Structures are given as C-alpha cells and as structure tokens.
C-alpha cells in the first residue's frame, strides 16, 4: 500500500489512476509521496519515508528542491501539461496590451444609469480606446520551452513576426517551432528588437530582474511587455518608472504587486494561466502517472532534481534495488561489491552532484540493501 498526501485539490481524473494499492487524500499520514499545486512547502519537514513530491504544474519554486535532493526525495513536475492553457492566456494578454479592451469595459460601466442615452454616449466616447493591431508587429519570446513555443507559433499564425531565444532549447522543442520564428543569439537581442515581449523562463538567481531599468532603456520605445511566468522576472520599480514615462506602453501580468496595482497602462490579473479544467486534468494525470511509475518501478520521468531514468523490469522474480547516491568516483564499484546475487541488468544516470542507479538482481538477498545503505555516499536504497 502507498500513502499519497494531497496538499491542494488534485483532479480526480489523475488520482483515480493510482489504483487500489493507494490511499490518497489531504489527511493521509506518513505519506510515501506528496501531490501539490501551489502550496508552499519550504517550511515543511519531510519524514524519512517520503520518497517523492509531484507538482501538478511546471514551476517548482514552492518546493525546497535542494533539501529534497539531499534527502533522496525525487521532485517531479508536469512540463507541457498546462502549456496550451497558459498560451491562450498570453495571447489574450497580448490583445489586452494592444487594444484598449479592459479600459473600454471599465469606462462603459461608469455609464450605468444613463438610460436610453447609453448607446449615444458609447459611440461618442469610444475614440478614447483606439489601440494598434498585432499583425505585422514583432513579438519577442524569451524561453522556448513548452509554453514559449506554443506562444511563438500562435503569434506567427496571427501574422506577427516572431523572434526568440533559449540557450537550453531541446531538439524535440526545436522541431516543433515554426520555421518562421527567427532565433536570436541572446535575450538582449530579443528584448531590444521587438514591439511586444513575452517571458517564459523559470525564476532563478540568473533570471531574477531579467527585465530591469538598463534593459528597458535599450528596448524599443512603446514596447508592450507580458509576464505570465513568474513574479521577480520583471523589476517592478523599473517597470513602473518606464510605464509612467511612456517608454513601456503597456504591461500585462498575472503577478500583481502592491506597487503596480491600479496604475494606468498596467493590467494585473490573478495567476490564471493554468486555471482551466483541461489543464488541471492534464497536470493531475501526468503527476499521478509519474508518481506511480516511481513508487512501483523506481523509474524517473520529468524530475527537476534527479536524472531521468527508465529500465524495464528484466526478469520476473528479480529483486530491484534503486539506489540514490553521490556522483563520485568508485562509488558504484563499492555498491556493486555489496550485492551478492547476479546483476542481470543495471542503469545508472547522474545529474550534477547526484546519481541514481537501478540494479535488477537474480538471487538477491534483500538484506543487502542495509549493506548498500552503509556505503559512504549512498543517500537512499529501495528494494522493489
Ligand atoms: C505553472 O507553474 O505550472 C504555472 O505557473 C501555473 C501554476 O502555477 O499553476
């Protein structure tokens, strides 16, 4: 039996896939795994038996990844599962940044009570709400991952010129990118050559304040900036100054901060990118499938702290040892020397300072796990 603790509401279409061997809920004790959306986990203590945390979403900045890595807890996310939902909101944001839709709606509400005169008042006043079309303009996309690619391709379909940059673009992502998207050499190349800018990177020490006063000064006059990724990517003080001076024509974000709320030419909305039933379902299914595969077979798919690894079961009856360990010379040799049966198959992958190895052993003694655990540099051993 496995215990799964849910820290947020996780769609049933996902948890329903776990099967009869699982107890899943928000009051589950001693969890083997945790399912989470946005709940903050940084101040939580993790018991020794916690094996995995799966975020039903892309960003994992609510999870203390370093602490998890040291404790041998695999952190999963669900890249791409909410990409379409976020893309649709970004496109809406781009139109809000261009046409004065929100301003017009807000103004019309002020006409309430004018009876039959409303129609004429609207016609007379609407000229205040002229805004440019996006067709033929240039969109800059920072980050060409699951979301950035969909945004870039949709913008091409809407008749925009699109420039983008991503130093970490994977081959599958590159193949999905519309060939009309022009790849630039740096973030700065993108940010200084566009009329609309959208950012799709995680918040890290390297990306914090990606859009700051210096960078804004180099951008085109009247640039419109969208941030539907993370708070902190855009320096709000610099942004506010730039909006007030007219350098930035409009800022649209789903990360409100007190200083920008209610300011003219800034549109803030709740963080709604993934708030669609479709995306909640997709994220839950992916998170639950990944947890199940890890708990039952030790295979790791879409982890943000341990390497991706998948080894099909070798022979029925073999014992599978899953070992998390430091990525240091000679360690595998020492682990192997503690396994007494015949190693039928093994796979080892590393990620930075850490590594993970699966051994399928015939004629093993499960008690060897204790001896493996005692090897210096071994973090966790599971026998499944
Ligand atoms: C994500 O990280 O998946 C998105 O920002 C949406 C969310 O936080 O739920």
């Amino acid at each position: 039996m496995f215990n799964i603790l849910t820290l947020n509401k996780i769609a049933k279409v996902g948890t329903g896939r776990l099967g009869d061997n699982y107890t899943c809920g928000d009051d589950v004790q001693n969890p083997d795994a945790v399912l989470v959306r946005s709940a903050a986990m940084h101040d939580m203590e993790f018991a020794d038996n916690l094996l995995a945390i799966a975020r039903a979403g892309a960003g994992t900045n609510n999870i203390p990844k370093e602490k998890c890595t040291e404790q041998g807890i695999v952190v999963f996310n669900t890249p791409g599962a909410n990409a379409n939902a976020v893309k649709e909101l970004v496109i809406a944001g781009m139109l809000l940044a261009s046409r004065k839709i929100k301003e017009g709606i807000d103004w019309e509400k002020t006409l309430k009570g004018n009876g039959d005169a409303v129609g004429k008042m609207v016609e007379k006043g609407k000229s205040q709400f002229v805004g440019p079309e996006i067709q033929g303009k240039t969109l800059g996309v920072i980050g060409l991952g699951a979301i950035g690619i969909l945004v870039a391709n949709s913008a091409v379909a809407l008749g925009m010129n699109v420039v983008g940059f991503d130093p970490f673009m994977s081959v599958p992502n590159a193949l999905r990118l519309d060939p009309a998207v022009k790849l630039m050499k740096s973030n700065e190349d993108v940010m200084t050559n566009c009329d609309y800018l959208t950012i799709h990177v995680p918040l890290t020490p390297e990306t914090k304040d990606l859009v700051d006063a210096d960078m804004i000064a180099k951008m085109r006059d009247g640039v419109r900036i969208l941030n539907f990724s993370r708070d902190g990517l855009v320096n709000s003080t610099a942004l506010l100054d730039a909006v007030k001076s007219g350098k930035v024509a409009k800022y649209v974000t789903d990360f409100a901060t007190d200083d920008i709320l209610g300011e003219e030419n800034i549109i803030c909305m709740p963080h709604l990118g993934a708030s669609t039933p479709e995306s909640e379902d997709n994220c839950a299914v992916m998170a639950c499938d990944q947890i199940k595969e890890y708990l039952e077979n030790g295979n790791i798919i879409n982890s943000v702290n341990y390497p991706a690894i998948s080894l099909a079961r070798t022979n029925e009856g073999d014992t599978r040892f899953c070992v998390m360990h430091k990525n240091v010379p000679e360690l595998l040799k020492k682990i192997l020397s503690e396994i007494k049966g015949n190693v039928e198959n093994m796979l080892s992958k590393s990620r930075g300072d850490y590594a993970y190895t699966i051994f399928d052993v015939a004629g093993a003694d499960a008690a060897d796990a204790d001896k493996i655990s005692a090897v210096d540099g071994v973090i966790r051993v599971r026998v499944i």
Side-chain angles (χ1 to χ4, degrees), residues 4 16 31 103 119 130-131 133 156 164 200 279 296 370:
I4 312 292
E103 293 82 346
V130 171
E133 297 179 22
V156 169
H200 299 288
S279 132
E296 294 178 12
D370 292 338

Side-chain angles (χ1 to χ4, degrees), residues 37-38 55-60 82 86 228-230 255 271 273-274 283:
R37 282 169 64 188
S38 55
R55 164 129 216 277
T60 49
N82 57 24
V86 178
F228 288 82
S229 289
R230 279 296 176 266
F255 293 98
H271 188 57
C283 290

